[in-house]
Amino acid sequence: MKTHFILGVLLSICSLSLSQECREQLLEDVDFSGSDIQTVISPDVDHCQQLCTQHPACLFFTYLPAEWTQDNRNFFCLLKSSSSGEPEVKTPVQGVTSGFSLKPCRPDPRPCLPRMYPGLDFPGADYRALFTEDAEECRRACTQDPACQFFTFLNKGFTPENFSYKCHLKFSWVVPTLPIVERKAGLVSGFSKNAETTQGGKPVCQGKLFLNTNITEENVLVLLAASPGHCQNLCSAHTVCTSFTFVSDSFNCQLKVNSGPMILQVKAGVTSGLPARFCQPDNSWVNVALEGVHFRGNDFRNELTDDAASCQRTCNEDANCQFYTYVKPDFSDSSIRRRCFLKRAITMPAPPRVTKVDNVVSGFQLRNCL
Ligand SMILES: *[C@@H]1O[C@H](CO)[C@@H](O)[C@H](O)[C@H]1NC(C)=O
Ligand SMILES: *[C@@H]1O[C@H](CO)[C@@H](O)[C@H](O)[C@H]1NC(C)=O
């Protein structure tokens, strides 16, 4: 009886450590059927493995490549999870590739994606187009524009021919965006100090904020932010944001594009400001623990910690953690008191769609490859 109990404990420790093992190898012609949590689009299996690594819940995946012919799910990257951490079913299927999340491997948070993809279009997410000599020059244009994450170039020979040599620069978020931010007594939320994307060589600046001020310009995009500093970080990372307004009641971060004058209006509870793309603002917002705020969802791990400060340290020390929520000892639900929930979102360049098109070349910026 007692030996059985000890064996059971040992087995559960073994399976726990097994799921935290670094497994980089890919399994060709193997389908991890079922256990799906989300489907994302990806141009190849290595990019799909990186997406699984960055997705909070993904532990393993199956990828259906360009050559897949059994149905039209080409480029599907099927993200999966199970309570044991292991695929429940492994089926031989010709042409698919499966593998594991690289979370236990201390993955590079900004992976270098050097491959060119001839014959693949990354449609959508365009913010600017120009004409370039070839795909290499288009990639250099993308690499030198901090907002550009990926591109599609139309070769000589593309039809209609008057679009040949066109280079489309494209955008996706590479700073963490929060899915749900809400007020909840007894919870404390904040960011990893690694959330700030420090780019060396930029002069230090304050980061311009106008307190109790609205900018009376239409919003081009509204998303959620934790604080004025976080909203400024989102505006700076966006392609065309020229100013922003943060509404503290609703956590709304309103991004604006004003080409004319900037009209400021006194408004309590609202902070506006300007992006900081060419300098390094003091990123004190990263260190602020927000009392009574819940960053709901996107958990990948949780553990018990003594207080919110040690929860933030735990988040700082885990390369996968971008933001956290800590449950204080007096929280209403006793089952999760003192739990530190570590959270993250996908922040690598990710095209929303991938399609096969003749005479085009797509690819990613090379800023992460230095
Ligand atoms: C571009 O080419 C197409 C066909 O090749 C033609 O119908 C169209 O008029 C051209 N557009 C311009 C602006 O010349
Ligand atoms: C800011 O001003 C604009 C234009 O008057 C208005 O539409 C918007 O609701 C205001 N925003 C806030 C947060 O008060």
Side-chain angles (χ1 to χ4, degrees), residues 129-179:
L130 62 162
F131 291 93
T132 58
E133 180 182 343
D134 54 21
E136 286 293 344
E137 178 69 356
C138 183
R139 176 155 73 176
R140 283 190 285 271
C142 184
T143 301
Q144 288 184 27
D145 182 338
C148 186
Q149 300 307 332
F150 50 95
F151 63 88
T152 294
F153 175 75
L154 314 182
N155 281 326
K156 178 174 184 295
F158 182 82
T159 42
E161 66 185 25
N162 40 24
F163 286 99
S164 292
Y165 302 106
K166 200 156 187 187
C167 166
H168 293 275
L169 304 186
K170 293 157 186 273
F171 170 78
S172 65
W173 287 107
V174 290
V175 295
T177 51
L178 304 170

Short mmCIF file of all heavy atoms in Angstrom, two decimals, residues 129-179:
data_model
loop_
_atom_site.label_atom_id
_atom_site.label_comp_id
_atom_site.label_asym_id
_atom_site.label_seq_id
_atom_site.Cartn_x
_atom_site.Cartn_y
_atom_site.Cartn_z
N ALA A 129 3.72 50.58 -49.15
CA ALA A 129 4.27 49.85 -50.29
C ALA A 129 5.25 50.73 -51.02
O ALA A 129 5.13 51.96 -51.01
CB ALA A 129 3.15 49.40 -51.22
N LEU A 130 6.25 50.11 -51.62
CA LEU A 130 7.20 50.85 -52.43
C LEU A 130 7.65 49.91 -53.54
O LEU A 130 7.20 48.76 -53.60
CB LEU A 130 8.38 51.34 -51.59
CG LEU A 130 9.28 50.34 -50.89
CD1 LEU A 130 10.59 51.03 -50.51
CD2 LEU A 130 8.65 49.80 -49.63
N PHE A 131 8.49 50.39 -54.46
CA PHE A 131 9.02 49.52 -55.50
C PHE A 131 10.49 49.29 -55.21
O PHE A 131 11.22 50.24 -54.89
CB PHE A 131 8.81 50.14 -56.88
CG PHE A 131 7.36 50.17 -57.28
CD1 PHE A 131 6.57 51.28 -57.03
CD2 PHE A 131 6.77 49.06 -57.89
CE1 PHE A 131 5.23 51.29 -57.37
CE2 PHE A 131 5.43 49.06 -58.23
CZ PHE A 131 4.66 50.19 -57.97
N THR A 132 10.93 48.04 -55.32
CA THR A 132 12.34 47.72 -55.07
C THR A 132 12.84 46.82 -56.19
O THR A 132 12.07 46.15 -56.88
CB THR A 132 12.54 47.02 -53.72
OG1 THR A 132 11.76 45.81 -53.69
CG2 THR A 132 12.14 47.90 -52.55
N GLU A 133 14.18 46.79 -56.31
CA GLU A 133 14.83 46.02 -57.38
C GLU A 133 14.50 44.52 -57.29
O GLU A 133 14.21 43.87 -58.28
CB GLU A 133 16.34 46.24 -57.26
CG GLU A 133 17.17 45.51 -58.28
CD GLU A 133 18.66 45.75 -58.06
OE1 GLU A 133 19.01 46.70 -57.33
OE2 GLU A 133 19.46 44.98 -58.60
N ASP A 134 14.57 43.99 -56.08
CA ASP A 134 14.32 42.55 -55.89
C ASP A 134 13.86 42.29 -54.45
O ASP A 134 13.73 43.22 -53.65
CB ASP A 134 15.58 41.75 -56.25
CG ASP A 134 16.81 42.22 -55.48
OD1 ASP A 134 16.65 42.87 -54.43
OD2 ASP A 134 17.94 41.93 -55.94
N ALA A 135 13.66 41.01 -54.15
CA ALA A 135 13.16 40.63 -52.82
C ALA A 135 14.17 40.97 -51.72
O ALA A 135 13.78 41.32 -50.61
CB ALA A 135 12.83 39.14 -52.80
N GLU A 136 15.47 40.87 -52.02
CA GLU A 136 16.49 41.20 -51.02
C GLU A 136 16.39 42.67 -50.60
O GLU A 136 16.48 42.99 -49.41
CB GLU A 136 17.89 40.94 -51.59
CG GLU A 136 18.27 39.47 -51.70
CD GLU A 136 18.43 38.79 -50.33
OE1 GLU A 136 18.55 39.50 -49.32
OE2 GLU A 136 18.42 37.55 -50.31
N GLU A 137 16.21 43.54 -51.60
CA GLU A 137 16.08 44.97 -51.30
C GLU A 137 14.78 45.24 -50.54
O GLU A 137 14.75 46.09 -49.63
CB GLU A 137 16.16 45.77 -52.60
CG GLU A 137 16.01 47.28 -52.45
CD GLU A 137 17.17 47.99 -51.76
OE1 GLU A 137 18.12 47.34 -51.29
OE2 GLU A 137 17.10 49.24 -51.69
N CYS A 138 13.73 44.51 -50.88
CA CYS A 138 12.46 44.63 -50.14
C CYS A 138 12.67 44.22 -48.68
O CYS A 138 12.19 44.89 -47.77
CB CYS A 138 11.39 43.76 -50.82
SG CYS A 138 9.76 43.87 -50.08
N ARG A 139 13.43 43.14 -48.48
CA ARG A 139 13.70 42.70 -47.11
C ARG A 139 14.54 43.73 -46.35
O ARG A 139 14.33 43.96 -45.17
CB ARG A 139 14.39 41.33 -47.10
CG ARG A 139 14.76 40.88 -45.69
CD ARG A 139 14.86 39.41 -45.55
NE ARG A 139 16.04 38.86 -46.18
CZ ARG A 139 16.39 37.58 -46.13
NH1 ARG A 139 15.62 36.73 -45.48
NH2 ARG A 139 17.46 37.15 -46.74
N ARG A 140 15.50 44.37 -47.06
CA ARG A 140 16.29 45.42 -46.40
C ARG A 140 15.38 46.59 -46.00
O ARG A 140 15.53 47.16 -44.92
CB ARG A 140 17.42 45.91 -47.31
CG ARG A 140 18.60 44.94 -47.37
CD ARG A 140 19.80 45.55 -48.08
NE ARG A 140 19.64 45.61 -49.53
CZ ARG A 140 19.98 44.64 -50.38
NH1 ARG A 140 20.50 43.50 -49.94
NH2 ARG A 140 19.80 44.79 -51.67
N ALA A 141 14.42 46.95 -46.87
CA ALA A 141 13.47 48.02 -46.55
C ALA A 141 12.69 47.66 -45.30
O ALA A 141 12.48 48.49 -44.41
CB ALA A 141 12.52 48.25 -47.73
N CYS A 142 12.28 46.39 -45.21
CA CYS A 142 11.52 45.92 -44.04
C CYS A 142 12.39 45.94 -42.78
O CYS A 142 11.97 46.38 -41.72
CB CYS A 142 10.98 44.52 -44.32
SG CYS A 142 9.93 43.87 -43.01
N THR A 143 13.63 45.47 -42.92
CA THR A 143 14.54 45.39 -41.77
C THR A 143 14.85 46.77 -41.20
O THR A 143 14.99 46.95 -39.99
CB THR A 143 15.84 44.67 -42.19
OG1 THR A 143 15.50 43.37 -42.66
CG2 THR A 143 16.82 44.55 -41.03
N GLN A 144 14.92 47.78 -42.09
CA GLN A 144 15.28 49.11 -41.62
C GLN A 144 14.10 49.93 -41.12
O GLN A 144 14.29 51.01 -40.57
CB GLN A 144 16.03 49.85 -42.75
CG GLN A 144 17.42 49.25 -42.91
CD GLN A 144 18.27 49.95 -43.93
OE1 GLN A 144 18.09 51.14 -44.19
NE2 GLN A 144 19.19 49.22 -44.52
N ASP A 145 12.87 49.43 -41.29
CA ASP A 145 11.70 50.13 -40.76
C ASP A 145 11.25 49.39 -39.49
O ASP A 145 10.79 48.25 -39.56
CB ASP A 145 10.58 50.10 -41.81
CG ASP A 145 9.36 50.86 -41.34
OD1 ASP A 145 9.19 51.04 -40.11
OD2 ASP A 145 8.55 51.25 -42.19
N PRO A 146 11.41 50.03 -38.31
CA PRO A 146 11.11 49.32 -37.06
C PRO A 146 9.69 48.76 -36.98
O PRO A 146 9.44 47.81 -36.24
CB PRO A 146 11.32 50.38 -35.98
CG PRO A 146 12.16 51.43 -36.61
CD PRO A 146 11.87 51.40 -38.09
N ALA A 147 8.75 49.34 -37.75
CA ALA A 147 7.37 48.84 -37.68
C ALA A 147 7.17 47.60 -38.55
O ALA A 147 6.21 46.86 -38.37
CB ALA A 147 6.40 49.93 -38.12
N CYS A 148 8.07 47.36 -39.50
CA CYS A 148 7.88 46.26 -40.45
C CYS A 148 8.27 44.93 -39.82
O CYS A 148 9.36 44.79 -39.28
CB CYS A 148 8.69 46.51 -41.72
SG CYS A 148 8.34 45.27 -43.00
N GLN A 149 7.37 43.94 -39.91
CA GLN A 149 7.67 42.61 -39.37
C GLN A 149 7.81 41.58 -40.48
O GLN A 149 8.52 40.59 -40.33
CB GLN A 149 6.59 42.18 -38.39
CG GLN A 149 6.43 43.11 -37.19
CD GLN A 149 7.72 43.35 -36.45
OE1 GLN A 149 8.63 42.52 -36.45
NE2 GLN A 149 7.84 44.52 -35.83
N PHE A 150 7.08 41.76 -41.60
CA PHE A 150 7.20 40.82 -42.71
C PHE A 150 6.78 41.54 -43.98
O PHE A 150 6.28 42.68 -43.93
CB PHE A 150 6.40 39.54 -42.45
CG PHE A 150 4.97 39.74 -42.03
CD1 PHE A 150 3.94 39.72 -42.94
CD2 PHE A 150 4.66 39.96 -40.69
CE1 PHE A 150 2.63 39.89 -42.56
CE2 PHE A 150 3.35 40.15 -40.29
CZ PHE A 150 2.33 40.11 -41.23
N PHE A 151 7.02 40.89 -45.13
CA PHE A 151 6.79 41.58 -46.40
C PHE A 151 6.39 40.58 -47.47
O PHE A 151 6.61 39.37 -47.32
CB PHE A 151 8.08 42.31 -46.85
CG PHE A 151 9.21 41.35 -47.12
CD1 PHE A 151 9.39 40.78 -48.37
CD2 PHE A 151 10.08 40.99 -46.11
CE1 PHE A 151 10.40 39.86 -48.61
CE2 PHE A 151 11.10 40.08 -46.34
CZ PHE A 151 11.27 39.51 -47.59
N THR A 152 5.81 41.09 -48.56
CA THR A 152 5.63 40.30 -49.78
C THR A 152 6.11 41.15 -50.95
O THR A 152 5.75 42.33 -51.06
CB THR A 152 4.15 39.89 -49.97
OG1 THR A 152 3.79 39.00 -48.91
CG2 THR A 152 3.95 39.17 -51.31
N PHE A 153 6.97 40.54 -51.78
CA PHE A 153 7.53 41.22 -52.96
C PHE A 153 6.96 40.55 -54.21
O PHE A 153 6.89 39.32 -54.29
CB PHE A 153 9.06 41.10 -52.94
CG PHE A 153 9.71 41.66 -54.16
CD1 PHE A 153 9.80 43.05 -54.35
CD2 PHE A 153 10.21 40.83 -55.16
CE1 PHE A 153 10.39 43.57 -55.49
CE2 PHE A 153 10.80 41.35 -56.30
CZ PHE A 153 10.89 42.73 -56.46
N LEU A 154 6.54 41.38 -55.21
CA LEU A 154 6.00 40.84 -56.45
C LEU A 154 7.10 40.88 -57.51
O LEU A 154 7.57 41.96 -57.90
CB LEU A 154 4.78 41.66 -56.90
CG LEU A 154 3.74 41.97 -55.79
CD1 LEU A 154 2.56 42.74 -56.36
CD2 LEU A 154 3.25 40.70 -55.12
N ASN A 155 7.53 39.70 -57.95
CA ASN A 155 8.64 39.58 -58.91
C ASN A 155 8.30 40.17 -60.27
O ASN A 155 7.13 40.30 -60.62
CB ASN A 155 8.96 38.10 -59.16
CG ASN A 155 9.77 37.50 -58.05
OD1 ASN A 155 10.61 38.17 -57.46
ND2 ASN A 155 9.53 36.23 -57.77
N LYS A 156 9.37 40.41 -61.06
CA LYS A 156 9.21 40.60 -62.50
C LYS A 156 8.53 39.33 -63.01
O LYS A 156 8.90 38.23 -62.62
CB LYS A 156 10.60 40.73 -63.13
CG LYS A 156 10.62 40.89 -64.62
CD LYS A 156 12.05 41.16 -65.08
CE LYS A 156 12.14 41.43 -66.56
NZ LYS A 156 11.76 40.28 -67.40
N GLY A 157 7.49 39.47 -63.85
CA GLY A 157 6.77 38.27 -64.28
C GLY A 157 5.44 38.11 -63.56
O GLY A 157 4.60 37.31 -63.94
N PHE A 158 5.25 38.90 -62.50
CA PHE A 158 3.96 38.88 -61.79
C PHE A 158 2.88 39.45 -62.69
O PHE A 158 3.14 40.38 -63.46
CB PHE A 158 4.07 39.71 -60.50
CG PHE A 158 2.81 39.72 -59.68
CD1 PHE A 158 2.52 38.67 -58.81
CD2 PHE A 158 1.91 40.77 -59.78
CE1 PHE A 158 1.36 38.67 -58.07
CE2 PHE A 158 0.73 40.77 -59.03
CZ PHE A 158 0.47 39.72 -58.17
N THR A 159 1.67 38.90 -62.65
CA THR A 159 0.55 39.49 -63.41
C THR A 159 -0.51 39.97 -62.43
O THR A 159 -0.79 39.26 -61.46
CB THR A 159 -0.08 38.48 -64.40
OG1 THR A 159 -0.19 37.22 -63.73
CG2 THR A 159 0.73 38.36 -65.67
N PRO A 160 -1.16 41.13 -62.65
CA PRO A 160 -0.89 42.07 -63.74
C PRO A 160 0.52 42.67 -63.63
O PRO A 160 0.97 43.00 -62.53
CB PRO A 160 -1.97 43.13 -63.58
CG PRO A 160 -2.47 42.99 -62.19
CD PRO A 160 -2.28 41.57 -61.79
N GLU A 161 1.17 42.80 -64.80
CA GLU A 161 2.59 43.13 -64.83
C GLU A 161 2.91 44.51 -64.26
O GLU A 161 4.03 44.74 -63.80
CB GLU A 161 3.12 43.02 -66.26
CG GLU A 161 2.54 44.06 -67.18
CD GLU A 161 2.99 43.87 -68.64
OE1 GLU A 161 3.33 42.74 -69.01
OE2 GLU A 161 2.99 44.87 -69.36
N ASN A 162 1.90 45.43 -64.28
CA ASN A 162 2.20 46.75 -63.73
C ASN A 162 2.31 46.76 -62.20
O ASN A 162 2.50 47.79 -61.59
CB ASN A 162 1.22 47.81 -64.27
CG ASN A 162 -0.19 47.31 -64.36
OD1 ASN A 162 -0.55 46.36 -63.65
ND2 ASN A 162 -1.01 47.93 -65.21
N PHE A 163 2.20 45.60 -61.56
CA PHE A 163 2.48 45.49 -60.13
C PHE A 163 3.85 44.85 -59.85
O PHE A 163 4.23 44.67 -58.69
CB PHE A 163 1.37 44.72 -59.41
CG PHE A 163 0.12 45.53 -59.27
CD1 PHE A 163 -0.95 45.37 -60.15
CD2 PHE A 163 0.00 46.47 -58.26
CE1 PHE A 163 -2.10 46.13 -60.03
CE2 PHE A 163 -1.15 47.22 -58.12
CZ PHE A 163 -2.20 47.06 -59.01
N SER A 164 4.57 44.47 -60.90
CA SER A 164 5.90 43.88 -60.71
C SER A 164 6.79 44.85 -59.94
O SER A 164 6.64 46.06 -60.07
CB SER A 164 6.56 43.59 -62.05
OG SER A 164 5.87 42.56 -62.70
N TYR A 165 7.70 44.29 -59.15
CA TYR A 165 8.68 45.04 -58.34
C TYR A 165 8.05 45.71 -57.12
O TYR A 165 8.70 46.46 -56.41
CB TYR A 165 9.43 46.11 -59.16
CG TYR A 165 10.17 45.57 -60.35
CD1 TYR A 165 9.68 45.77 -61.64
CD2 TYR A 165 11.35 44.86 -60.18
CE1 TYR A 165 10.35 45.27 -62.75
CE2 TYR A 165 12.03 44.35 -61.28
CZ TYR A 165 11.54 44.55 -62.55
OH TYR A 165 12.21 44.06 -63.64
N LYS A 166 6.77 45.46 -56.88
CA LYS A 166 6.15 46.11 -55.72
C LYS A 166 6.52 45.37 -54.43
O LYS A 166 6.51 44.13 -54.39
CB LYS A 166 4.63 46.16 -55.89
CG LYS A 166 3.99 47.21 -55.02
CD LYS A 166 2.67 47.67 -55.54
CE LYS A 166 2.18 48.85 -54.72
NZ LYS A 166 0.82 49.23 -55.07
N CYS A 167 6.84 46.14 -53.43
CA CYS A 167 7.29 45.60 -52.13
C CYS A 167 6.30 46.06 -51.07
O CYS A 167 6.17 47.27 -50.81
CB CYS A 167 8.69 46.16 -51.86
SG CYS A 167 9.30 45.96 -50.17
N HIS A 168 5.56 45.12 -50.49
CA HIS A 168 4.53 45.45 -49.49
C HIS A 168 5.09 45.21 -48.08
O HIS A 168 5.43 44.08 -47.73
CB HIS A 168 3.30 44.58 -49.70
CG HIS A 168 2.57 44.86 -50.97
ND1 HIS A 168 1.62 45.86 -51.08
CD2 HIS A 168 2.68 44.31 -52.20
CE1 HIS A 168 1.16 45.89 -52.32
NE2 HIS A 168 1.79 44.97 -53.03
N LEU A 169 5.16 46.28 -47.29
CA LEU A 169 5.64 46.16 -45.91
C LEU A 169 4.43 45.90 -45.00
O LEU A 169 3.39 46.54 -45.16
CB LEU A 169 6.37 47.43 -45.49
CG LEU A 169 7.54 47.87 -46.37
CD1 LEU A 169 8.27 49.06 -45.75
CD2 LEU A 169 8.53 46.72 -46.62
N LYS A 170 4.60 45.00 -44.04
CA LYS A 170 3.47 44.53 -43.23
C LYS A 170 3.79 44.54 -41.74
O LYS A 170 4.94 44.42 -41.34
CB LYS A 170 3.08 43.12 -43.70
CG LYS A 170 2.51 43.15 -45.13
CD LYS A 170 2.62 41.82 -45.83
CE LYS A 170 2.19 41.92 -47.27
NZ LYS A 170 0.74 41.74 -47.45
N PHE A 171 2.72 44.62 -40.96
CA PHE A 171 2.84 44.85 -39.51
C PHE A 171 2.15 43.75 -38.70
O PHE A 171 1.07 43.29 -39.05
CB PHE A 171 2.20 46.21 -39.18
CG PHE A 171 2.04 46.47 -37.71
CD1 PHE A 171 3.13 46.87 -36.96
CD2 PHE A 171 0.82 46.30 -37.08
CE1 PHE A 171 3.00 47.11 -35.59
CE2 PHE A 171 0.68 46.54 -35.71
CZ PHE A 171 1.78 46.96 -34.98
N SER A 172 2.76 43.33 -37.59
CA SER A 172 2.05 42.61 -36.53
C SER A 172 2.64 43.06 -35.19
O SER A 172 3.77 43.53 -35.14
CB SER A 172 2.15 41.09 -36.71
OG SER A 172 3.48 40.63 -36.57
N TRP A 173 1.86 42.91 -34.10
CA TRP A 173 2.31 43.38 -32.78
C TRP A 173 3.49 42.56 -32.29
O TRP A 173 3.41 41.35 -32.24
CB TRP A 173 1.18 43.32 -31.75
CG TRP A 173 0.16 44.36 -31.95
CD1 TRP A 173 -1.12 44.18 -32.43
CD2 TRP A 173 0.29 45.77 -31.69
NE1 TRP A 173 -1.77 45.38 -32.49
CE2 TRP A 173 -0.94 46.38 -32.05
CE3 TRP A 173 1.32 46.57 -31.21
CZ2 TRP A 173 -1.15 47.74 -31.92
CZ3 TRP A 173 1.10 47.94 -31.09
CH2 TRP A 173 -0.13 48.51 -31.44
N VAL A 174 4.56 43.23 -31.89
CA VAL A 174 5.69 42.52 -31.28
C VAL A 174 5.93 42.96 -29.84
O VAL A 174 6.92 42.60 -29.23
CB VAL A 174 6.98 42.66 -32.12
CG1 VAL A 174 6.86 41.88 -33.42
CG2 VAL A 174 7.31 44.11 -32.38
N VAL A 175 5.02 43.77 -29.31
CA VAL A 175 5.02 44.03 -27.87
C VAL A 175 3.75 43.36 -27.33
O VAL A 175 2.76 43.24 -28.06
CB VAL A 175 5.02 45.55 -27.53
CG1 VAL A 175 6.32 46.20 -27.98
CG2 VAL A 175 3.83 46.27 -28.14
N PRO A 176 3.79 42.89 -26.08
CA PRO A 176 2.63 42.16 -25.57
C PRO A 176 1.37 43.03 -25.54
O PRO A 176 1.41 44.17 -25.07
CB PRO A 176 3.03 41.74 -24.16
CG PRO A 176 4.40 42.21 -23.92
CD PRO A 176 4.90 42.94 -25.11
N THR A 177 0.27 42.50 -26.08
CA THR A 177 -1.03 43.16 -25.95
C THR A 177 -1.85 42.31 -24.96
O THR A 177 -1.68 41.09 -24.92
CB THR A 177 -1.75 43.24 -27.31
OG1 THR A 177 -1.76 41.95 -27.90
CG2 THR A 177 -1.03 44.19 -28.26
N LEU A 178 -2.69 42.95 -24.18
CA LEU A 178 -3.42 42.25 -23.12
C LEU A 178 -4.83 41.92 -23.61
O LEU A 178 -5.53 42.80 -24.09
CB LEU A 178 -3.52 43.13 -21.87
CG LEU A 178 -2.18 43.63 -21.30
CD1 LEU A 178 -2.43 44.68 -20.22
CD2 LEU A 178 -1.39 42.47 -20.73
N PRO A 179 -5.27 40.65 -23.49
CA PRO A 179 -6.60 40.29 -23.97
C PRO A 179 -7.73 40.89 -23.12
O PRO A 179 -8.70 41.41 -23.66
CB PRO A 179 -6.61 38.76 -23.92
CG PRO A 179 -5.55 38.39 -22.96
CD PRO A 179 -4.53 39.49 -22.96
#
